Amino acid sequence: MQQITEQELIDFRTKIVFNLQYPSKDMDVNVFLRRYNIDDLAQKKIVNGDGFIIKSSQKIKNDVTGKNENSIFSPKFGKTLNDINNPMSSDYKCSCGETIGRIYEGHICPKCKTRIELRPVDFSKFGYIPTYGYPIIHPNLYRSIETYLGAKILTDILIPEEELSIDGTPVEKTGRSSLSARDQIKKSKRKSKATKKRMLTETKASADNPFLGIGMLGFYERFDEILDYYYPKKQKAAKEIYLDIKKERKNVFCHYVSVYTTQLRPFSVNDNVFNTEGNNKSFQNIASLSNMLKNHATRYGDNRKGINRVLWRIQDNWNDIYDDNEKALAGKKGDIRECMSARVNFSVRSIIVPAIDLEMDEIRLPYAACMELLRFHIINILKKSYSYNYSQAYYEWYKAKIAPNPIMKELMMNIIRESRYGGLPILFNRNPKLVGGIIER
């Protein structure tokens, strides 16, 4: 079996680091992706006070109304929708957080001796649900492993072959909560049809799986063996994913589930009616399953299959949260695109070709594209300088757009030359591909 050398890992690492020179050759910009080690980050944040352990797994309404500091709705996250106009709102507090509430505004905390005042929400505050020493997979690297092995193969490996409860007794097929892992996937409302198909449809490669049903614990123990077993069968693209996984080997498994602030997963309780963002239910499921692992350590013997079943459910819920957040960020209607602008009034599409005579911050537009982008500028000039009405000016612009017109071209060049920016500022966007050498191509 072919082994990957350390030098090959180093060579692969250099492929995903792009060295750019912008806006001049005097400035080097390195662009690269980084995956955090969740365990190291969790321990660091917990020690310095920017994070805390989530232990509670009460019913979701009890956690909200009771203001449980150890729940996924902990007031440590900051203000909620119900805190608006609330005199006991947690956004008014001292430095140590001992004295909380708007009614104490301006007072001095007897513990830390600091003034109670309005303090901004800290979005870097995280809660962490522990798995008590049992491994789960970093959700981003789970995607990479799933792409490398195949969704059906990975699902078959992680779901225990025999469905047992945490105490080792067979799972009875009665009641919704006692569905098998595969039945839960089928009935899941959070997974798309395409995802369910990838995870459950038998393929030629998944039919011969020597690691079937070994569960999360077996996958953790035999991780490198499993990756190496499938390596000779993969194409070049999958082998690059293999190298990426190997490079991130220390980050693959973790023992905490990170819970981001309630500012990004809002909830409210009005007249005993509870409204919440969808990921809160998944986080609550994970907290409940975490307590099952904790209880198992003190109540039951070494039941690997029962533990594997709980670990799979934790992983599946975490994957749902990751997928949901990715959907919120990605695409034309995603949050990242919305931050740039809600809508672009004038846009064009064109083939991108290199031009060695241009500077790094310059672009040459096709005639038709420039005519479209400068439509109103040209129409206004025609009306004011050539005594056209708006209908006539639009008609002249439209004719020039279809058939190149030297007069219109000179108008456009004058608009560009007379701009106070030394040219026209435009937003140039190209969907990137994280493939080695793509910048050179």
Side-chain angles (χ1 to χ4, degrees):
M1 184 177 297
Q2 183 178 358
Q3 297 296 319
I4 301 301
T5 65
E6 182 64 25
Q7 184 59 42
E8 286 176 307
L9 283 176
I10 295 173
D11 292 342
F12 177 76
R13 185 180 294 112
T14 61
K15 290 182 181 179
I16 60 171
V17 177
F18 308 130
N19 294 315
L20 307 179
Q21 293 179 337
Y22 177 82
S24 65
K25 296 182 179 180
D26 298 329
M27 182 183 296
D28 291 334
V29 180
N30 292 326
V31 182
F32 59 93
L33 300 178
R34 178 183 178 186
R35 298 183 181 100
Y36 283 104
N37 185 299
I38 293 178
D39 286 355
D40 291 346
L41 189 63
Q43 292 166 10
K44 180 180 178 181
K45 280 183 171 288
I46 291 170
V47 169
N48 64 23
D50 291 332
F52 60 95
I53 297 292
I54 292 177
K55 304 174 183 177
S56 172
S57 61
Q58 300 178 30
K59 289 185 178 179
I60 200 163
K61 286 188 179 181
N62 293 344
D63 275 348
V64 172
T65 57
K67 290 291 184 182
N68 189 329
E69 290 195 354
N70 296 319
S71 78
I72 64 169
F73 301 109
S74 171
K76 295 177 182 179
F77 284 120
K79 184 173 61 175
T80 68
L81 293 177
N82 288 101
D83 286 330
I84 300 174
N85 299 324
N86 179 5
M88 297 303 295
S89 171
S90 59
D91 53 342
Y92 285 85
K93 55 188 175 183
C94 60
S95 296
C96 70
E98 180 72 19
T99 308
I100 297 176
R102 188 172 182 177
I103 59 174
Y104 300 112
E105 183 181 5
H107 291 207
I108 303 298
C109 173
K111 183 176 180 180
C112 65
K113 309 301 181 183
T114 59
R115 187 178 299 276
I116 289 84
E117 57 188 5
L118 178 64
R119 297 183 183 272
V121 174
D122 184 3
F123 282 86
S124 65
K125 193 81 153 182
F126 272 76
Y128 292 95
I129 304 174
T131 59
Y132 299 98
Y134 296 111
I136 50 177
I137 304 172
H138 189 301
N140 180 267
L141 284 162
Y142 184 97
R143 281 287 193 86
S144 298
I145 298 168
E146 186 181 60
T147 303
Y148 173 71
L149 295 178
K152 181 64 166 64
I153 292 176
L154 183 57
T155 303
D156 286 345
I157 291 174
L158 296 180
I159 295 179
E161 189 173 9
E162 184 179 357
E163 294 291 337
L164 299 178
S165 64
I166 191 70
D167 59 357
T169 58
V171 176
E172 297 180 2
K173 305 300 181 184
T174 58
R176 185 174 179 180
S177 61
S178 298
L179 291 172
S180 70
R182 288 179 177 81
D183 287 338
Q184 288 176 4
I185 294 173
K186 290 178 183 178
K187 293 187 175 294
S188 172
K189 295 181 179 180
R190 303 201 66 185
K191 292 181 173 61
S192 65
K193 291 182 179 179
T195 300
K196 294 177 183 179
K197 184 177 180 180
R198 286 190 298 105
M199 295 178 70
L200 298 174
T201 302
E202 193 74 48
T203 64
K204 185 177 180 180
S206 65
D208 181 22
N209 186 350
F211 308 102
L212 181 70
I214 64 174
M216 184 69 76
L217 297 177
F219 186 68
Y220 173 74
E221 294 162 356
R222 304 174 66 181
F223 179 68
D224 295 300
E225 176 190 348
I226 293 170
L227 291 187
D228 293 340
Y229 175 83
Y230 285 99
Y231 184 81
K233 305 178 182 182
K234 298 297 180 179
Q235 301 297 323
K236 182 179 179 181
K239 291 181 179 180
E240 289 192 349
I241 298 174
Y242 170 92
L243 292 170
D244 180 46
I245 296 170
K246 281 288 190 178
K247 178 174 70 71
E248 300 285 345
R249 177 66 176 84
K250 68 179 185 301
N251 299 331
V252 172
F253 295 97
C254 52
H255 303 84
Y256 293 94
V257 174
S258 52
V259 182
Y260 51 86
T261 175
T262 51
Q263 310 301 309
L264 301 177
R265 45 183 182 87
F267 65 92
S268 64
V269 181
N270 296 309
D271 298 327
N272 293 323
V273 177
F274 178 63
N275 299 294
T276 182
E277 193 264 349
N279 287 332
N280 285 323
K281 180 62 176 175
S282 294
F283 277 129
Q284 193 70 5
N285 289 340
I286 294 173
S288 177
L289 293 165
S290 169
N291 273 355
M292 293 177 68
L293 292 176
K294 179 182 178 181
N295 294 335
H296 168 267
T298 57
R299 292 175 56 191
Y300 306 115
D302 186 17
N303 170 27
R304 289 175 64 91
K305 290 183 178 178
I307 296 170
N308 280 327
R309 182 169 183 265
V310 175
L311 292 175
W312 163 252
R313 290 176 62 191
I314 291 176
Q315 186 70 57
D316 195 38
N317 277 279
W318 203 9
N319 289 346
D320 285 343
I321 295 169
Y322 181 86
D323 292 344
D324 187 72
N325 289 331
E326 186 179 57
K327 290 176 184 176
L329 295 173
K332 291 186 175 180
K333 296 184 179 180
D335 290 346
I336 293 177
R337 188 73 66 89
E338 289 291 333
C339 287
M340 296 174 63
S341 64
R343 178 178 177 181
V344 178
N345 290 326
F346 298 97
S347 62
V348 293
R349 290 187 178 185
S350 182
I351 302 299
I352 301 174
V353 295
I356 60 175
D357 59 315
L358 297 179
E359 295 295 331
M360 190 67 179
D361 58 349
E362 290 183 340
I363 186 172
R364 181 179 291 122
L365 293 177
Y367 172 85
C370 202
M371 282 291 292
E372 181 63 38
L373 293 175
L374 299 177
R375 177 200 302 186
F376 288 123
H377 293 79
I378 294 172
I379 290 175
N380 281 330
I381 291 173
L382 291 176
K383 180 181 181 299
K384 294 177 180 179
S385 301
Y386 292 83
S387 301
Y388 289 134
N389 59 38
Y390 278 119
S391 296
Q392 293 170 330
Y394 176 83
Y395 181 66
E396 292 297 325
W397 167 85
Y398 183 74
K399 287 194 302 180
K401 179 183 175 183
I402 297 174
N405 184 314
I407 297 177
M408 294 297 181
K409 182 178 179 181
E410 186 60 28
L411 280 178
M412 287 191 293
M413 293 305 299
N414 286 335
I415 293 172
I416 294 171
R417 283 192 292 263
E418 294 174 5
S419 171
R420 60 177 177 172
Y421 302 105
L424 295 179
I426 63 170
L427 176 63
F428 175 64
N429 181 36
R430 178 184 184 275
N431 293 330
K433 291 184 178 180
L434 300 180
V435 179
I438 193 66
I439 296 298
E440 290 79 11
R441 293 200 294 270

